[in-house]
Amino acid sequence: MENRWSRDLVREPVVEGLFYPDEPKSLLDGIRKNLQNARTVAGKVRGIIVPNASFQFISSYSAEAFKRASTGDYQRVVILAPWRGETRDAFLLPESTLFRTPLGISRVDATAMEILFSSSTTADISEVIHLQEHGIEVQLPWIQAAFPEAEIVPILSNATGIVGVKALASALKALELESPRPTLYVASINLTPALPSDLAASQSGELINYLLEGRWEEMLAARRRGELASPGVAAAAALCILLHRQQRLEILLRGNSREYDKNDSSVVEYASMSYEEALSSGGQA
């Protein structure tokens, strides 16, 4: 049977010039400058959590995370992002096999896509929803700059139930077993949507605590109760299932949109974090 992702189908950029510069040199110079100014040092990273807002708001957060992962020899980058709309247990794959940005083209890992689609009854394909969302696209210039040869696995999920998130994590585990390649996981999420400043700070702190402690089921329950408004909870929970027991979570940079627009009534909380190889009891990595 022919792989559904064996033919070339290009997803053209949708938010270039809106969420990030559309001129290649300006975009690449901005990425390189931010990476150079990042305070962190490279580590042994398996996954990162990065915001998905406008470049001017989040470039410093992205730089901390991608610099942290910069020495990894990744052949595949799995990008987990939310979609807006009705929550459901399915996770969505695109039809596209090539994702274009001003910096070039990222090729989709066709083998990975077929494994994911065939290994879970909750996997679905929706090019339309992928075209409506920017959470994957805004990470691509950073991936293209840092890991130009890596193939990508773009996934959207907004599940709030344990079944849906576990199904996504199980499919990703099956992918690792059936097609082992050096892989970086990228969760493209904001800690909150736009909220009043006090509420945004409270919810972001709660979400970070759930992640640090690996309490992904409680995190999902809080999302269902409306105590966490971030649509990125599903992506964060799936990453937590995959990496929490084997990796330690490091907070690299935390802040919010108020630093840029001075608007206390509509604040989006951001953070960059990394899942890294845990230290042994003897202190050796």
Side-chain angles (χ1 to χ4, degrees), residues 3-213:
N3 187 303
R4 295 169 181 79
W5 291 271
S6 60
R7 61 191 178 94
D8 287 351
L9 177 62
V10 179
R11 183 206 189 265
E12 298 291 349
V14 176
V15 295
E16 63 172 343
L18 297 173
F19 277 70
Y20 59 89
D22 56 1
E23 199 281 313
K25 185 178 186 303
S26 175
L27 177 57
L28 186 57
D29 286 349
I31 289 173
R32 287 174 173 170
K33 180 179 179 180
N34 278 279
L35 288 171
Q36 184 178 6
N37 292 338
R39 297 173 297 179
T40 193
V41 296
K44 295 182 178 180
V45 175
R46 285 278 285 138
I48 57 176
I49 296 174
V50 285
N52 60 25
S54 296
F55 189 87
Q56 62 178 346
F57 282 13
I58 66 165
S59 55
S60 58
Y61 301 90
S62 302
E64 294 292 336
F66 280 99
K67 185 173 181 178
R68 194 73 165 179
S70 60
T71 57
D73 184 24
Y74 306 110
Q75 297 175 14
R76 177 167 62 207
V77 180
V78 175
I79 312 166
L80 305 172
W83 88 78
R84 294 158 292 180
E86 180 184 1
T87 60
R88 54 190 175 105
D89 282 343
F91 62 89
L92 302 184
L93 308 174
E95 295 177 13
S96 295
T97 56
L98 303 168
F99 279 58
R100 190 194 305 277
T101 79
L103 298 188
I105 288 178
S106 291
R107 179 172 290 278
V108 167
D109 184 337
T111 299
M113 301 294 274
E114 193 63 43
I115 291 171
L116 290 172
F117 188 72
S118 61
S119 65
S120 177
T121 58
T122 66
D124 202 354
I125 299 172
S126 177
E127 186 72 5
V128 171
I129 294 179
H130 268 269
L131 286 170
Q132 292 171 348
E133 298 298 336
H134 65 267
I136 289 168
E137 182 181 331
V138 297
Q139 308 304 338
L140 295 178
W142 294 89
I143 293 167
Q144 291 167 342
F147 317 111
E149 302 302 319
E151 295 185 318
I152 62 169
V153 180
I155 303 171
L156 295 175
S157 175
N158 70 351
T160 60
I162 291 175
V163 172
V165 173
K166 286 185 72 173
L168 172 55
S170 295
L172 290 169
K173 288 178 181 178
L175 171 60
E176 290 188 343
L177 289 174
E178 295 184 41
S179 178
R181 302 177 72 184
T183 298
L184 176 68
Y185 291 94
V186 177
S188 176
I189 68 170
N190 299 327
L191 299 182
T192 70
L195 297 170
S197 58
D198 289 348
L199 183 57
S202 173
Q203 288 198 14
S204 65
E206 186 177 1
L207 178 54
I208 286 174
N209 285 337
Y210 283 133
L211 287 170
L212 288 172
E213 297 166 9

